[in-house]
Amino acid sequence: MKLSTKWTDRFDWTLAFYLVLFFIVSLTAIASAQVSGPHNTNFALLQVRWYVLGAFIIFVMVQLEPQQYKKLAWPLYGFGIFLLLFLMLAPGGEGQIAEVRLGAKRWLHLPVIGTIQPSEFIKTFFILGLARMVSLHNEKIPDKSLKTDMLLLAKVGVMLIVPLAFIMKQPDLGTSLVFIAITAAVIIISGISWKLLAPIMAVGASVGATLLWMAVYAQDFLVKLGFDPYQFKRVYSWLDPYSYPGEEGYNLIQAMTAIGSGEFTGKGFRESVVYIPENHTDFIISVIGEEWGFVGTSLLITLFFVFIYHLTKIALTMKDQFSVYVTAGVIAMIAFHVLENIGMNIQLLPITGIPLPFVSYGGSSLFSNMFAIGLVFSMRFHQQNFLFETEEQ
């Protein structure tokens, strides 16, 4: 079997086309969001800059092969942990290295680079580290047993708990859930027996449901366990936002009002009137819903669906475990972001401050997603070389 070695044949143009569509949607939505709010910054123009830099990142990343990323996995993971530790120890406040917004310490002010959110970058670094660790484990221990599966779960647990502890300290529940989603996706396809996975998932679901019930009916006990009372308001404002119209429920009420007012076809480009704080970031879907209605929102969801479907097809073509796990982690990260962001805007899920991938404004978020997609581009680009070498051996 003769496989093409031309750069143009090996590059995934379909994936690139999807990114161009997201770029158009993002600029259109952000330009509209700026009209309905008191924004003094041209976020649409800044988003163009982030996308251009993101495209350059992808171009550079395609030059590296999967084995090179495998070697870089631990250093990048370690660098991400260092950033989280530095953020936790850095002085926070106005004019300080670390920025505190609404009681959350999640951003760093760095010379030349500007403001970054370390937790966004470490998500992709975590995917690389997790893929390397699981693939090496399976290579060294081909004969699986309950003991080896438990050993792998223990390794994964240690690797997960380190960044999770730092991120929960910020606090950032939304990003913590993204890490759990990534880990779950990789574990499910890692070959661990379902006799072990099923009980663990059942226990995890039971614990989550119990905590939600206790947040409503047994708050005092949770406070004794170390939970902050403000976290309960997030749950209350999600379940009954109209009881907190001027507090935690305000954004949700405004988002649902905006989406509902768009009806079937929307009010038209730049015709949104419902004010929502930060509507160019976490609540960008409300702008799309108001201006383009059910039709426009459905088309965007369909775009995300075919995008994730294409990524899944890429994962199914991979022959080396590391590439499969990396692609699966990227799929889980993006899919969870889409589900949570859209869900929180229509009251299906609690508001956690997670942006909509490739659409919401944000340098750190877009860079993280571009870096993640750059990995998939690289795995896909070099996959034919891998197949050619395998057949020759």
Side-chain angles (χ1 to χ4, degrees), residues 69-85 118 121-133 155-167 179 183 371:
Y69 284 111
K70 195 171 186 178
K71 294 176 181 178
L72 290 170
W74 284 125
L76 288 174
Y77 174 78
F79 177 67
I81 297 299
F82 167 77
L83 285 179
L84 291 177
L85 177 62
F121 293 94
I122 194 177
K123 285 185 292 190
T124 310
F125 299 163
F126 175 76
I127 290 173
L128 280 173
L130 186 64
R132 174 185 167 88
M133 190 267 290
K155 292 178 180 179
V156 171
V158 171
M159 188 169 182
L160 172 64
I161 200 65
V162 176
L164 215 56
F166 286 118
I167 293 170
F179 275 82
T183 305
F371 189 89

Coordinates of all heavy atoms in Angstrom, one line a residue, residues 69-85 118 121-133 155-167 179 183 371:
Y69 N 5.9 14.7 21.2 CA 5.0 15.2 22.2 C 5.0 14.2 23.4 O 4.8 14.7 24.6 CB 3.6 15.3 21.6 CG 3.4 16.5 20.8 CD1 3.2 16.4 19.4 CD2 3.5 17.8 21.3 CE1 3.1 17.5 18.6 CE2 3.3 18.9 20.5 CZ 3.2 18.8 19.2 OH 3.0 19.9 18.4
K70 N 5.2 13.0 23.2 CA 5.2 12.0 24.2 C 6.4 12.3 25.2 O 6.3 12.2 26.4 CB 5.3 10.6 23.7 CG 5.0 9.5 24.6 CD 5.0 8.1 23.9 CE 4.5 7.0 24.9 NZ 4.4 5.7 24.2
K71 N 7.5 12.7 24.6 CA 8.7 13.1 25.4 C 8.5 14.4 26.2 O 9.0 14.6 27.3 CB 9.9 13.2 24.5 CG 10.4 11.8 23.9 CD 11.6 12.0 23.0 CE 12.0 10.7 22.3 NZ 13.1 10.9 21.4
L72 N 7.7 15.3 25.6 CA 7.5 16.6 26.2 C 6.4 16.5 27.2 O 6.2 17.5 28.0 CB 7.1 17.6 25.1 CG 8.3 18.1 24.2 CD1 7.7 18.9 23.0 CD2 9.3 18.8 24.9
A73 N 5.6 15.4 27.3 CA 4.4 15.4 28.1 C 4.7 15.7 29.6 O 4.0 16.6 30.2 CB 3.8 14.0 28.0
W74 N 5.7 15.0 30.2 CA 6.0 15.3 31.6 C 6.5 16.7 31.9 O 6.1 17.3 32.9 CB 6.9 14.2 32.2 CG 6.3 12.9 32.4 CD1 6.7 11.7 31.9 CD2 5.1 12.6 33.2 NE1 5.9 10.7 32.3 CE2 4.9 11.2 33.1 CE3 4.3 13.4 34.0 CZ2 3.9 10.6 33.8 CZ3 3.2 12.8 34.6 CH2 3.0 11.4 34.5
P75 N 7.5 17.2 31.1 CA 7.9 18.6 31.3 C 6.8 19.6 31.2 O 6.7 20.5 32.0 CB 9.0 18.8 30.2 CG 9.5 17.4 29.9 CD 8.3 16.5 30.1
L76 N 5.9 19.4 30.3 CA 4.8 20.3 30.1 C 3.8 20.2 31.3 O 3.3 21.2 31.8 CB 4.0 20.1 28.8 CG 4.7 20.5 27.5 CD1 4.0 20.1 26.3 CD2 5.0 22.0 27.5
Y77 N 3.5 19.0 31.7 CA 2.7 18.8 32.9 C 3.3 19.4 34.1 O 2.6 20.1 34.9 CB 2.4 17.3 33.1 CG 1.7 16.9 34.4 CD1 0.3 17.1 34.4 CD2 2.3 16.5 35.5 CE1 -0.4 16.7 35.5 CE2 1.6 16.1 36.6 CZ 0.3 16.3 36.7 OH -0.4 16.0 37.8
G78 N 4.6 19.2 34.3 CA 5.3 19.8 35.4 C 5.2 21.3 35.4 O 5.1 22.0 36.4
F79 N 5.4 21.9 34.2 CA 5.3 23.3 34.0 C 4.0 23.9 34.4 O 3.8 24.9 35.0 CB 5.7 23.7 32.6 CG 5.6 25.2 32.3 CD1 6.4 26.1 32.9 CD2 4.6 25.7 31.4 CE1 6.4 27.5 32.6 CE2 4.5 27.0 31.2 CZ 5.4 27.9 31.8
G80 N 2.9 23.1 34.0 CA 1.6 23.5 34.4 C 1.3 23.5 35.9 O 0.7 24.5 36.4
I81 N 1.8 22.5 36.5 CA 1.7 22.5 38.0 C 2.5 23.6 38.6 O 2.0 24.2 39.6 CB 2.2 21.1 38.6 CG1 1.4 20.0 38.0 CG2 2.2 21.1 40.1 CD1 0.0 20.0 38.4
F82 N 3.6 24.0 38.1 CA 4.4 25.1 38.6 C 3.6 26.4 38.5 O 3.6 27.2 39.4 CB 5.7 25.2 37.8 CG 6.4 26.5 38.1 CD1 7.2 26.7 39.2 CD2 6.4 27.5 37.1 CE1 7.8 27.9 39.5 CE2 7.0 28.7 37.3 CZ 7.7 28.9 38.5
L83 N 2.9 26.6 37.3 CA 2.1 27.8 37.2 C 1.0 27.9 38.2 O 0.7 28.9 38.7 CB 1.5 27.8 35.7 CG 2.5 28.2 34.6 CD1 1.7 28.1 33.3 CD2 3.1 29.6 34.8
L84 N 0.4 26.7 38.5 CA -0.7 26.7 39.4 C -0.2 27.0 40.8 O -0.8 27.7 41.6 CB -1.4 25.4 39.4 CG -2.2 25.0 38.2 CD1 -2.8 23.6 38.3 CD2 -3.4 26.0 38.0
L85 N 1.0 26.5 41.2 CA 1.6 26.7 42.5 C 2.0 28.2 42.6 O 1.8 28.8 43.6 CB 2.8 25.8 42.6 CG 3.6 26.0 43.9 CD1 2.8 25.7 45.2 CD2 4.9 25.1 43.9
P118 N -3.7 30.2 34.1 CA -3.0 28.9 34.1 C -3.8 27.7 34.0 O -3.4 26.7 33.3 CB -2.2 29.0 35.4 CG -2.1 30.4 35.7 CD -3.3 31.0 35.2
F121 N -4.4 26.4 30.4 CA -3.2 25.8 29.7 C -3.0 24.4 30.2 O -2.6 23.5 29.5 CB -2.0 26.6 29.9 CG -2.0 27.9 29.1 CD1 -2.5 29.1 29.8 CD2 -1.7 28.0 27.8 CE1 -2.5 30.3 29.1 CE2 -1.8 29.2 27.1 CZ -2.2 30.4 27.8
I122 N -3.1 24.2 31.5 CA -2.7 22.9 32.1 C -3.7 21.8 31.7 O -3.4 20.6 31.8 CB -2.6 23.0 33.6 CG1 -1.9 21.7 34.1 CG2 -4.0 23.1 34.3 CD1 -1.7 21.7 35.6
K123 N -4.9 22.2 31.2 CA -5.9 21.1 30.8 C -5.2 20.3 29.6 O -5.3 19.1 29.6 CB -7.2 21.8 30.3 CG -8.1 22.3 31.4 CD -9.4 22.8 30.9 CE -9.2 24.1 30.1 NZ -10.5 24.7 29.8
T124 N -4.6 21.0 28.7 CA -4.0 20.3 27.5 C -2.7 19.6 28.0 O -2.4 18.5 27.5 CB -3.7 21.3 26.4 OG1 -4.9 22.1 26.1 CG2 -3.3 20.6 25.2
F125 N -2.0 20.2 28.9 CA -0.8 19.6 29.4 C -1.1 18.3 30.2 O -0.4 17.3 30.1 CB 0.0 20.5 30.4 CG 0.5 21.8 29.7 CD1 0.8 22.9 30.5 CD2 0.6 21.9 28.3 CE1 1.3 24.1 29.9 CE2 1.0 23.1 27.7 CZ 1.4 24.2 28.5
F126 N -2.2 18.4 30.9 CA -2.7 17.2 31.6 C -3.1 16.1 30.7 O -2.8 14.9 30.9 CB -3.9 17.6 32.5 CG -4.6 16.5 33.2 CD1 -4.0 15.9 34.3 CD2 -5.8 15.9 32.7 CE1 -4.6 14.8 35.0 CE2 -6.4 14.9 33.4 CZ -5.8 14.3 34.5
I127 N -3.7 16.4 29.5 CA -4.1 15.4 28.5 C -2.8 14.7 28.0 O -2.8 13.5 27.9 CB -4.9 16.1 27.4 CG1 -6.2 16.5 27.8 CG2 -5.0 15.1 26.2 CD1 -7.0 17.3 26.7
L128 N -1.8 15.5 27.7 CA -0.6 14.9 27.3 C 0.1 13.9 28.3 O 0.5 12.8 28.0 CB 0.4 16.0 26.9 CG 0.3 16.6 25.6 CD1 1.2 17.8 25.4 CD2 0.5 15.7 24.4
G129 N 0.1 14.4 29.6 CA 0.7 13.6 30.6 C -0.1 12.4 30.9 O 0.5 11.3 31.1
L130 N -1.4 12.5 30.9 CA -2.3 11.3 31.2 C -2.1 10.3 30.0 O -2.0 9.1 30.3 CB -3.7 11.8 31.3 CG -4.7 10.8 31.7 CD1 -4.5 10.2 33.1 CD2 -6.2 11.4 31.6
A131 N -2.1 10.8 28.8 CA -2.0 9.9 27.7 C -0.6 9.1 27.7 O -0.6 7.9 27.4 CB -2.1 10.7 26.3
R132 N 0.4 9.8 28.1 CA 1.7 9.2 28.2 C 1.8 8.2 29.3 O 2.2 7.0 29.1 CB 2.8 10.3 28.5 CG 4.2 9.6 28.7 CD 5.2 10.7 29.1 NE 6.4 10.1 29.6 CZ 7.5 9.7 28.9 NH1 7.4 9.9 27.6 NH2 8.6 9.2 29.4
M133 N 1.2 8.5 30.4 CA 1.2 7.6 31.6 C 0.4 6.3 31.3 O 0.9 5.2 31.6 CB 0.7 8.3 32.8 CG 0.9 7.5 34.1 SD -0.5 6.6 34.5 CE -1.7 7.8 34.9
K155 N -2.5 5.3 39.7 CA -1.6 6.3 39.0 C -2.4 7.5 38.5 O -2.0 8.6 38.6 CB -0.9 5.6 37.9 CG 0.2 4.5 38.3 CD 0.8 3.9 37.1 CE 1.8 2.8 37.4 NZ 2.4 2.2 36.2
V156 N -3.5 7.1 37.9 CA -4.4 8.2 37.3 C -4.9 9.1 38.4 O -4.9 10.3 38.3 CB -5.5 7.6 36.5 CG1 -6.5 8.7 36.1 CG2 -5.0 6.9 35.3
G157 N -5.3 8.5 39.5 CA -5.8 9.3 40.7 C -4.8 10.2 41.2 O -5.1 11.4 41.5
V158 N -3.5 9.8 41.4 CA -2.5 10.7 41.9 C -2.2 11.8 40.9 O -2.1 13.0 41.3 CB -1.2 9.9 42.1 CG1 0.0 10.8 42.4 CG2 -1.4 8.9 43.2
M159 N -2.2 11.5 39.6 CA -1.9 12.5 38.6 C -3.1 13.5 38.5 O -2.8 14.7 38.3 CB -1.8 11.8 37.2 CG -1.3 12.8 36.1 SD -0.9 11.9 34.7 CE -0.3 13.3 33.7
L160 N -4.3 13.1 38.8 CA -5.4 14.0 38.7 C -5.5 14.9 40.0 O -5.9 16.1 39.9 CB -6.7 13.2 38.6 CG -8.1 13.9 38.7 CD1 -8.2 15.0 37.6 CD2 -9.2 13.0 38.7
I161 N -5.3 14.3 41.1 CA -5.5 15.0 42.4 C -4.6 16.2 42.5 O -5.0 17.2 43.2 CB -5.3 14.1 43.6 CG1 -6.1 14.6 44.8 CG2 -3.9 13.8 43.9 CD1 -7.5 14.7 44.7
V162 N -3.4 16.2 41.9 CA -2.5 17.3 42.1 C -3.0 18.6 41.5 O -3.2 19.6 42.2 CB -1.1 17.0 41.5 CG1 -0.2 18.2 41.6 CG2 -0.5 15.8 42.3
P163 N -3.3 18.7 40.2 CA -3.9 19.9 39.6 C -5.3 20.2 40.2 O -5.6 21.4 40.4 CB -4.0 19.6 38.1 CG -4.0 18.2 38.0 CD -3.2 17.6 39.1
L164 N -6.0 19.2 40.5 CA -7.4 19.4 41.0 C -7.4 20.1 42.4 O -8.2 21.0 42.6 CB -8.1 18.0 41.2 CG -9.6 18.0 41.0 CD1 -9.9 18.5 39.6 CD2 -10.1 16.6 41.1
A165 N -6.4 19.8 43.2 CA -6.3 20.4 44.5 C -6.0 21.9 44.4 O -6.6 22.8 45.1 CB -5.2 19.8 45.3
F166 N -5.1 22.3 43.4 CA -4.8 23.7 43.2 C -6.0 24.5 42.6 O -6.2 25.6 43.0 CB -3.6 23.8 42.2 CG -2.3 23.5 42.9 CD1 -1.5 22.4 42.4 CD2 -1.8 24.2 43.9 CE1 -0.3 22.1 43.0 CE2 -0.5 23.9 44.5 CZ 0.2 22.8 44.0
I167 N -6.7 23.8 41.7 CA -7.8 24.5 41.0 C -9.0 24.7 41.9 O -9.6 25.7 41.9 CB -8.1 23.7 39.7 CG1 -7.0 23.8 38.7 CG2 -9.4 24.3 39.1 CD1 -7.1 22.9 37.5
F179 N -11.4 18.5 34.1 CA -10.4 17.5 34.4 C -11.0 16.1 34.7 O -10.4 15.1 34.2 CB -9.5 18.0 35.6 CG -8.4 18.9 35.3 CD1 -8.7 20.3 35.1 CD2 -7.1 18.5 35.1 CE1 -7.7 21.2 34.8 CE2 -6.1 19.4 34.7 CZ -6.4 20.7 34.6
T183 N -10.3 12.8 32.4 CA -9.8 11.6 33.0 C -10.8 10.4 32.8 O -10.4 9.3 32.4 CB -9.7 11.8 34.5 OG1 -8.8 12.9 34.7 CG2 -9.1 10.6 35.2
F371 N -4.2 24.9 21.1 CA -3.1 23.9 21.4 C -3.6 22.5 21.4 O -2.9 21.6 20.9 CB -2.5 24.3 22.8 CG -1.2 23.5 23.1 CD1 0.0 24.1 22.8 CD2 -1.3 22.3 23.8 CE1 1.2 23.4 23.1 CE2 -0.1 21.6 24.1 CZ 1.1 22.2 23.8

